[in-house]
């Protein structure tokens, strides 16, 4: 009985340690250029893009990554200053993010075929759902 309890305790500690190591690995930073290439490869594979589409998507994704990097730097600066965003700022950020998503969708409509666009929108929705699940898991993990 005692051996089983010790074994279970060691197993739990091992799994927890492994999970934390995995979490640290995910935090590895990619350069903006690496991020662009990764996203373009992923979209190309998912949607079977032609050469012209690849060039157009790469230009669009590059622009989006630059915007996100600028926003991330701005948010980091505020965080370092210990300034929490007000509700108004949070709402403005949310609205801006929504507008950016709509602009991205409009640009993708110009680049992709109807089938590709449908598949891309489906993948976007799946990613959004996955992200929400991760946020919930992390909130549960912290508690």
């Amino acid at each position: 009985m005692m051996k089983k309890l010790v074994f279970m305790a060691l197993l739990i500690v091992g799994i927890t340690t492994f999970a934390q190591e995995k979490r640290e690995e995910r935090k590895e930073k990619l350069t903006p250029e690496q991020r662009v290439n990764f996203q373009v490869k992923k979209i190309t594979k998912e949607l079977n893009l032609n050469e012209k589409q690849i060039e157009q998507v790469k230009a669009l994704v590059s622009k989006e990554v630059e915007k996100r990097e600028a926003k991330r730097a701005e948010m980091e600066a505020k965080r370092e200053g210990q300034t929490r965003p007000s509700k108004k700022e949070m709402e403005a950020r949310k609205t801006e993010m929504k507008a950016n998503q709509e602009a991205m969708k409009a640009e993708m409509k110009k680049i992709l075929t109807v089938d590709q666009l449908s598949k891309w929108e489906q993948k976007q929705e799946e990613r959004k759902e996955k992200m929400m699940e991760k946020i919930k898991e992390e909130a549960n993990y912290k508690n």
Side-chain angles (χ1 to χ4, degrees), residues 67 93-105:
K67 281 184 197 176
R93 192 178 302 159
K94 200 173 189 179
T95 303
E96 182 182 358
M97 212 164 67
K98 188 82 168 161
N100 285 341
Q101 288 172 350
E102 291 299 320
M104 176 79 163
K105 185 176 178 178

Side-chain angles (χ1 to χ4, degrees), residues 42-43 46-47 98 101-102 104-105 116-134:
K42 191 171 187 175
I43 292 170
E46 290 173 350
L47 304 178
K98 188 82 168 161
Q101 288 172 350
E102 291 299 320
M104 176 79 163
K105 185 176 178 178
Q116 288 172 326
L117 182 64
S118 173
K119 196 171 185 178
W120 178 76
E121 288 173 335
Q122 180 183 357
K123 291 287 184 183
Q124 291 293 97
E125 193 59 38
E126 288 171 11
R127 284 187 191 104
K128 186 177 179 181
E129 288 171 8
K130 240 183 194 177
M131 182 75 75
M132 294 307 286
E133 285 177 26
K134 282 183 181 180

